[in-house]
Amino acid sequence: MRRITLSRYLIEEQREKGKINADLRLLIEVVARACKSIAIAIGKGGLGEGGGILGEAGSDNVQGEAQKKLDVLSNEIFLEANEWGGHLAGMASEEMELPHAIPNRYPQGEYLLLFDPLDGSSNIDINVSVGTIFSVLRCPEGADPTLQDAFLQPGTAQVAAGYAVYGPTTLLVLTVGDGVACFTLDREIGSFVLTEEKLRIPEETKEFAINMSNRRFWEAPVQRYVDELLAGKEGPRGKDFNMRWVASMVADVHRIMTRGGIFMYPLDSKIAAQGGKLRLMYEANPMAFIVEQAGGAATTGRQRIMDLQPNALHQRVPVILGSRNEVAVVAGYHAQD
Ligand code: AHG
Ligand code: MN
Ligand code: MN
C-alpha cells in the first residue's frame, strides 16, 4: 500500500491539484509539527516537576477563564513554531487578548493563523481527549496584522482549517477546501500518515451531543428539538436517539466526522449576554468549514456560521453542527420561532 505522509499529501495538493501554494503548505506542516510537540507534552502527563503538564497555570485568559498549564504551554508551542517561517503576517489565539505580531527579525508572509491551542481544558487532568483547532485566512491587502480588524473575516474566507485530537491516537484532520483528510501520527517515525481521505458525515443520525445540564436555560426551539429526541420511538421522531458529551469540542466533532450525529452548544440564558459559549474565529468557523467540506452543515440556528461577519476576535456564537438533515430540523424550529 502506498503510504502517504502529510508532506506528500500537501505536495500533491500543491503540485497536481493547485489547491495550495508553497507558503500555505509550509504553514500547515509547521502547524502539524506544533501539534506533534503538544501531543508529546500531553503524553508525559503528570511526570516531571510540579505535576508535569497537569494543573492550573495560576492565571486567567482574556475571557476570564482560568488557564491550565497546558493551555499556556500549547499556546507558546504554537507561537514559537510559527513565528520564523516567513509564511505568516500574524497570529491570534484564544489565550491572547490581541493578535501576536511576527517579530521584525523574521520575514512576513500573506497568511493569518488563528487557533485554540488546547481545546477541552477541563479534560486534561482526568486524562480524556483534548485537541487543537486552527483556521487560516489571508491577510487583506494593506491591513495591519497586529490589529484585530485584519482577522475579522467571515468563515467563507478561510483557506484552510483543521484540528488535532490527542486521544488514544493523535489525529490531524485537515481541509484546504478540497474535502477533508485524516492523518494519524505514527509515533515511531514521527510523521502524520494519511489514514482517511474524503471524509463524509452520514446525513442521517441517531446520536446527539449537548450539555443537558443547561436544558432549563435553552431557547424554545432547542428545548423542543431535544425533547423530541428524548421522546424516542414513541415521540414525533419515531426512533430512539443516543447521547454523548465528551466536553472537548474536538472529540465531539471528531465522533460526528466518523459516525455522524449532531453537536450543539446553543445559546442559553446564562450566556446570552456573551453571545454563546464557543468562539467564532478559532472554534466555530474552522469546525464549520471542516463539517461542510464533509457534507455536513453548521448553523447558529438562525444563520450559517460561515456567513457571519465577525465583530470581535473573541466573539462567541451558538453552534449547531453535524449531519445535514438533523441540523436542518433544528434550523427549521428556529425559523418557526
Ligand atoms: P476550551 O477548553 O478551549 O475553553 O473549550 C471548551 C469548550 C469545548 O471544547 C466544549 O465543547 C465545551 O467548552 C464544554 O463546555 P461545558 O463544560 O459547558 O460542557
Ligand atoms: Mn476550545
Ligand atoms: Mn482552549
Side-chain angles (χ1 to χ4, degrees), residues 260-325:
I262 181 164
F263 168 93
M264 291 170 280
Y265 214 117
L267 199 62
D268 71 48
S269 55
K270 279 193 283 110
I271 53 173
Q274 60 187 43
K277 161 101 181 192
L278 298 172
R279 277 63 51 113
L280 173 61
M281 302 304 294
Y282 41 81
E283 290 179 321
N285 266 342
M287 289 309 201
F289 189 19
I290 292 164
V291 162
E292 285 198 9
Q293 282 288 315
T299 174
T300 63
R302 299 191 162 85
Q303 231 186 320
R304 179 184 177 217
I305 284 176
M306 290 213 289
D307 283 338
L308 295 171
Q309 174 57 50
N311 53 41
L313 199 51
H314 300 288
Q315 181 179 349
R316 297 179 191 249
V317 289
V319 175
I320 297 162
L321 59 76
S323 294
R324 175 171 288 280
N325 294 350

Side-chain angles (χ1 to χ4, degrees), residues 94 116 118-121 133 249 278-279 282-283:
E94 178 190 343
D116 174 356
L118 206 286
D119 176 67
S121 299
I133 310 171
M249 187 192 200
L278 298 172
R279 277 63 51 113
Y282 41 81
E283 290 179 321

